[in-house]
Amino acid sequence: MGIRVYERLRDEIVSGGLEADTPLVQEQVAERLGVSRTPVRDALNRLAHENLVTWLPGSGYLVNALQSNDIAEVYQVRQSLETLALRLACGNHNQAQLTRLTAVIEDMAAADPSDAAAQFELNRTFHMSLIEPCGNALLLRMIDTLWDHPVNRRITRSYVHDAGNVRLMVSEHGALLDAARAGDEERLIHLATQHMYTGYQETLPEDSGIDLMPRPGTESVH
């Protein structure tokens, strides 16, 4: 029961159903979901640990806005792990994997650009399929777990708010696929670094004062 309550509240937050600064009072949430206070309390504690809500003594919990530091931390970890996986995977894609990647790109282009949940799953499927041939099961599990981080879903929801960004993702995914098909490691890493940088930097508030590093083209791609 506690897991289901947690997942329900998490999904409502990352989908925008519960907007930033929405108050969450245990009794009210329990009544709305038709459960006891115990699983709600456990779920809210877990959400607070993930920085999705904040505990306000005497007032209950408050839904947090997407924080710039959260975006930067997820980007830094993903960029490092995924770059390593791409280096290991490059040159090892078979025809079936390349065909699947092509199909995912086509599905993303055909999907509703405003459907953040669908775009998230397609984006995740593309990137996990791109690194699949890396041959390192531990690395794949670590990256897959990172995709499960709630911040990633919130980032996707914010980014795809602009339909033009979805078209850009489709175009960039096509370029990544071309580099993978050619076995061009240098180009694949350069394009992937630029792709991730663009997506996460675009999501940061303009007044955040954070410029994600490394900038594309400033690090060695050898």
Side-chain angles (χ1 to χ4, degrees), residues 114-186:
S114 66
D115 187 343
Q119 292 293 344
F120 173 83
E121 293 302 335
L122 288 166
N123 192 33
R124 175 178 184 162
T125 298
F126 176 84
H127 283 274
M128 291 304 300
S129 298
L130 190 63
I131 64 175
E132 183 181 357
C134 76
N136 187 317
L138 175 59
L139 182 57
L140 288 173
R141 287 197 300 271
M142 292 174 67
I143 296 173
D144 195 43
T145 298
L146 181 61
W147 273 98
D148 278 331
H149 195 295
V151 166
N152 266 323
R153 291 183 183 272
R154 299 181 81 184
I155 289 171
T156 300
R157 175 169 60 84
S158 176
Y159 187 67
V160 302
H161 180 72
D162 182 347
N165 286 336
V166 176
R167 292 192 294 271
L168 178 61
M169 279 199 297
V170 170
S171 175
E172 291 180 348
H173 284 180
L176 287 165
L177 175 56
D178 289 342
R181 183 181 285 112
D184 188 338
E185 180 181 325
E186 180 175 342

Side-chain angles (χ1 to χ4, degrees), residues 41-134:
R41 182 183 66 245
D42 293 343
L44 290 171
N45 285 337
R46 183 172 176 181
L47 292 169
H49 180 71
E50 294 176 345
N51 202 30
L52 291 178
V53 301
T54 295
W55 162 243
L56 301 176
S59 302
Y61 291 81
L62 201 65
V63 175
N64 289 337
L66 187 59
Q67 300 297 313
S68 298
N69 285 340
D70 294 334
I71 297 173
E73 289 175 359
V74 170
Y75 166 79
Q76 289 164 359
V77 175
R78 181 184 163 199
Q79 193 273 339
S80 297
L81 294 180
E82 200 162 317
T83 296
L84 172 59
L86 286 169
R87 291 190 188 280
L88 296 172
C90 191
N92 295 317
H93 294 86
N94 59 38
Q95 188 55 50
Q97 290 166 332
L98 293 173
T99 299
R100 185 184 185 211
L101 285 163
T102 300
V104 175
I105 293 174
E106 292 173 349
D107 288 345
M108 178 173 280
D112 181 353
S114 66
D115 187 343
Q119 292 293 344
F120 173 83
E121 293 302 335
L122 288 166
N123 192 33
R124 175 178 184 162
T125 298
F126 176 84
H127 283 274
M128 291 304 300
S129 298
L130 190 63
I131 64 175
E132 183 181 357
C134 76

